[in-house]
């Protein structure tokens, strides 16, 4: 970033001194500008146009046979009663529970793995780090195939569960909601006869009973898979941050009599704060885009409980030939991720700067507060 | 006292590590062993490590179908994408880091904006342009849009800014042109960054799925990810024939595993380089 501001004066001087840099500069940039412009910037404009039309995929989207329909594609998803809105709301509900489940669990698991792999006495650290990180470098398609096999009704997972006396569900075929099942177990309701107040009240084309379903068993299986796959990447980020933590700080806290948990809570965790926020941000951006697993494993089923906006957008355009609808979903998803990222950037910036400034004072201040009874 | 709690803690840490190592490694062992099992054994004995009647039938059947072609397509696409990303993104990164010219800051702002676009919303736009240009369902459609990547340009720019400009200035005084300085002076110094970028590009293009779904529809133009994804919906008659799907998954994992083992320490850096862009 500093280079943006700093070389102003120097730049002017050099530009006059070395006139060939302008030509060379644009020559060096031209392949990138051409490819990103042609395959990224222009297409986004085209898709924006398509999202306001009824194009069916035949001929050019700019031909005179394609009609401009204004915001119809967007209102069909948000304000109008109908199947489009119902599917879209289902996909939003599914992904909401998906993000809510995956992001915290993968963050905590990654932090946990980083902390135990970072123990000083540990032998074979490289082996364990490699084992946990390896799934991150493997294709999502290959991992999906393995999990499809592990989680079949008579597959490895259910055999292992049977060995300890648990009858596992038919994982990827099971559309029942986890919260519905939980309430049923706890005696709040009967899953086969939902409370009529919840079942009959409709909000945005879905009953309250549907909204509070939680992730289905099938979606939970995909959540387990994604947590398992990505925790390793985030573990590496936490490991890098942990190795940045000066040992003197830990030692100072130890001299002050802080126990292990207090040292973790008041020395390590504040040091990791920027990394935690980064991991949460990347997690939210990544999880809202979930697509590959749905494409390979479930195609949105069973009973649309693994439908996500990304998959719905793809299916609407490429399978149902409703290109305007598909493009509109993509732009809504784009906007949603943009808003969430902006909020988190703001939190990240807010959290990063003071913690950097405060680190020096915290070093001496925190352990003292930590040892108070 | 201290040593005793220490020993207890060590046992707890090792126990946790072993449990997680099993959770992380066992699926790959099942994948490996199932690909040598018969269809019947894969269904009746999914947990067994040693196949009772080891057979390479699954691999033979993959070899008879389009699988070798998909493998070949994946290799060609990955090589082209990796080579061009390394070259074009370092060119652009160098220009953004070192050369002074009007419009440079605007281009860099554009890069940051492009990086903020989530990849998955680009599926429809990319299809639209490929279709519009008439290259949908052709081989170039598989790799041309992937030849440059904004995040890689960003990584290279950051790297070039981190090395001292004095060597380049010496070369410039000796009368070397801008491209010559870039090629013979700067690039050799950038070796670690180039390796990191190669690995990120390899991994990105070998594992890419979304772009390959929307770029072609002809099975002769499938890459591994696209073709193998098809297996689950009964392609090659592999609906419930798990040895075939496990063998396919295994074969597409091997190149990633080899690159990972050889360049492990660069992966660590790569993960964190990717992180900084967020």
């Amino acid at each position: 970033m500093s280079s943006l501001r700093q070389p102003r004066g120097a730049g002017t001087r050099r530009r006059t001194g070395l006139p060939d840099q302008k030509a060379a500069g644009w020559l060096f940039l031209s392949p990138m500008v051409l490819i990103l412009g042609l395959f990224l910037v222009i297409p986004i404009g085209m898709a924006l146009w398509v999202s306001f039309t009824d194009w069916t995929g035949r001929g050019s989207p700019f031909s005179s046979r394609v009609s401009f329909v204004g915001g119809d594609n967007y209102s069909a998803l948000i304000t109008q009663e109908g199947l489009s809105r119902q599917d879209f709301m289902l996909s939003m509900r599914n992904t909401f529970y998906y993000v809510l489940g995956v992001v915290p669990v993968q963050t905590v698991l990654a932090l946990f793995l980083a902390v135990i792999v970072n123990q000083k006495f540990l032998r074979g650290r490289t082996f364990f780090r490699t084992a946990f990180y390896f799934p991150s470098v493997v294709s999502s398609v290959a991992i999906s195939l393995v999990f499809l096999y592990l989680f079949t009704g008579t597959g490895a997972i259910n055999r292992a569960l049977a060995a300890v006396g648990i009858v596992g569900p038919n994982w990827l075929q099971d559309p029942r909601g986890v919260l519905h099942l939980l309430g049923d177990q706890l005696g709040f309701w009967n899953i086969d006869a939902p409370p009529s107040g919840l079942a009959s009240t409709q909000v945005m084309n879905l009953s309250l009973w549907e909204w509070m379903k939680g992730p289905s068993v099938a979606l939970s299986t995909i959540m387990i898979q994604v947590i398992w796959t990505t925790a390793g990447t985030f573990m590496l980020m936490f490991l890098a941050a942990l190795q940045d933590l000066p040992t003197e700080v830990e030692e100072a806290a130890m001299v002050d009599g802080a126990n292990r948990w207090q040292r973790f809570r008041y020395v390590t965790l504040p040091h990791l704060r920027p990394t935690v926020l980064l991991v949460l941000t990347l997690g939210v951006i990544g999880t809202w885009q979930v697509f590959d697993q749905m494409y390979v494993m479930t195609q949105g089923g069973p009973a649309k409980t693994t439908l996500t906006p990304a998959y719905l957008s793809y299916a609407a355009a490429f399978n149902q030939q409703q290109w305007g609808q598909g493009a509109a979903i993509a732009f809504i998803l784009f906007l949603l991720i943009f808003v969430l990222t902006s909020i988190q950037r703001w939190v990240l910036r807010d959290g990063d700067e003071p913690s950097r400034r405060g680190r020096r004072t915290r070093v001496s201040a925190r352990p003292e507060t930590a040892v108070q009874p | 006292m201290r040593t005793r709690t220490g020993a207890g803690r060590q046992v707890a840490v090792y126990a946790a590590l072993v449990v997680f190592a099993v959770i992380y490694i066992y699926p790959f062992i099942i994948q490996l062993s199932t690909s040598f099992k018969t269809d019947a054994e894969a269904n009746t004995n999914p947990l067994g490590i040693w196949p009772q009647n080891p057979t390479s039938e699954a691999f033979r059947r993959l070899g008879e179908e389009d699988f070798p072609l998909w493998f070949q397509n994946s290799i060609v696409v990955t090589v082209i994408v990796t080579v061009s990303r390394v070259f074009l993104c370092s060119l652009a990164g160098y220009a953004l880091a070192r050369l002074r010219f009007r419009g440079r800051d605007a281009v860099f702002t554009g890069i940051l904006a492009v990086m903020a676009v989530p990849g998955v919303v680009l599926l429809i736009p990319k299809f639209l342009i490929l279709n519009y240009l008439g290259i949908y369902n052709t081989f170039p459609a598989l790799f041309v849009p992937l030849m440059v990547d904004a995040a890689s340009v960003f990584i290279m720019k950051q790297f070039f800014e981190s090395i001292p400009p004095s060597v380049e200035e010496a070369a410039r005084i000796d009368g070397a042109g801008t491209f010559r300085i870039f090629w013979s002076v700067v690039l050799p110094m950038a070796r670690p960054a180039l390796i990191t970028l190669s690995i990120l590009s390899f991994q990105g293009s070998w594992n890419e799925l979304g772009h390959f779904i929307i770029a072609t529809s002809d099975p002769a133009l499938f890459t591994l990810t696209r073709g193998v994804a098809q297996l689950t919906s009964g392609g090659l008659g592999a609906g419930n024939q798990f040895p075939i799907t496990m063998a396919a998954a295994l074969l597409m994992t091997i190149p990633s595993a080899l690159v990972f083992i050889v360049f492990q320490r660069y992966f660590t850096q790569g993960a964190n380089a990717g992180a900084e862009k967020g």
Side-chain angles (χ1 to χ4, degrees), chain A residues 1 3-4 7-8 11 14-15 18 20-22 24-29 31-33 35-36 38-44 46-47 50 55 57 59-62 109 112-113 116-117 119 121-123 126-143 145-150 152 154-156 159-160 227-229 231-233 236-237 240 254 260 278 282 289 291-292 295-296 299 310 313-314 317-318 323 326-327 330 333-334 337 345 348, chain B residues 2 9-10 13-14 16-18 20-21 23-25 27-28 30-31 34 37 41-47 88 91-92 94-96 98-105 107-108 111-112 114 116-133 135 144-145 147-150 153 157-158 161 169 172 178-179 182 203 206-207 209-210 213-214 225-226 228-232 242 245-246 248-249 252-253 256-257 260 264 267-268 271-272 275-278:
Chain A
M1 276 305 161
S3 71
L4 282 180
R8 278 281 172 223
R14 283 204 197 155
R15 206 180 293 142
L18 291 156
D20 76 311
Q21 284 206 327
K22 182 169 185 181
W26 280 105
L27 196 65
F28 280 28
L29 289 182
M32 174 199 77
V33 171
I35 293 178
L36 289 184
L38 190 57
F39 292 104
L40 216 134
V41 180
I42 293 174
I44 290 176
M46 292 171 78
V50 166
W55 189 52
S60 161
F62 304 110
L109 178 62
F112 174 77
L113 292 176
I116 58 174
V117 166
Q119 296 297 316
F121 62 82
L122 189 67
R123 283 159 195 277
T126 316
F127 168 78
F128 289 113
R129 198 185 55 200
T130 307
F132 301 151
Y133 181 61
F134 185 63
S136 308
V137 305
V138 176
S139 144
S140 58
V141 175
I143 300 230
L145 292 181
V146 173
F147 271 68
L148 269 174
Y149 176 51
L150 294 178
T152 49
T154 55
R159 299 287 170 116
I227 291 166
W228 180 84
T229 312
T233 313
L236 282 191
M237 293 181 192
M254 217 183 290
R260 205 172 294 280
L278 175 67
L282 293 175
Q289 297 190 60
F291 171 83
D292 290 8
Y295 179 85
V296 179
Q299 295 83 44
S313 159
Y314 162 80
F318 289 87
W323 289 82
L333 181 60
F334 189 173
I337 292 175
R345 279 252 163 90
L348 193 86
Chain B
R2 203 184 159 81
R9 224 174 70 82
Q10 290 196 10
V13 166
Y14 275 113
L17 279 171
V18 168
F20 275 98
I23 293 173
Y24 270 86
I25 296 170
F28 290 108
I30 290 183
Q31 174 191 359
T34 304
K37 287 178 179 173
E41 194 191 345
N43 281 310
T44 53
N45 183 22
L47 279 170
L88 299 177
L91 261 186
Y94 181 71
L96 292 173
R98 282 285 206 272
L99 305 181
R100 314 287 163 204
F101 57 95
R102 200 184 298 267
R104 191 190 68 164
D105 294 353
V107 171
F108 182 61
I111 299 272
L112 292 179
V114 162
V117 179
V120 77
V121 306
L122 290 171
L123 295 180
I124 293 175
K126 277 185 175 171
F127 169 80
L128 291 175
I129 191 73
L130 293 172
N131 194 36
Y132 190 76
L133 297 173
I135 56 170
V144 175
M147 279 167 64
V148 172
D149 164 59
V153 174
K157 173 185 181 284
Q158 299 296 91
E161 278 171 354
E169 265 150 29
R172 189 167 293 133
T178 309
F179 185 78
F182 167 76
Q203 210 190 333
W206 186 262
N207 293 342
L209 174 65
I213 291 174
I214 59 91
T225 46
R226 172 83 192 269
V228 170
Q230 230 70 349
L231 292 179
T232 56
F242 295 111
T245 59
M246 292 304 100
M252 69 195 288
T253 304
S256 308
F260 176 60
Q264 228 204 93
F267 269 88
T268 321
N272 291 310
E276 273 153 26
K277 79 183 180 188

Side-chain angles (χ1 to χ4, degrees), chain A residues 48-58 60-73 323-325:
Chain A
L48 193 61
W49 161 254
V50 166
S51 79
F52 292 107
T53 69
D54 63 354
W55 189 52
T56 56
R58 296 195 179 191
S60 161
F62 304 110
S63 82
S64 55
R65 281 176 299 138
V66 176
S67 346
F68 180 80
V69 296
D72 282 6
N73 288 319
W323 289 82
Q325 191 92 97

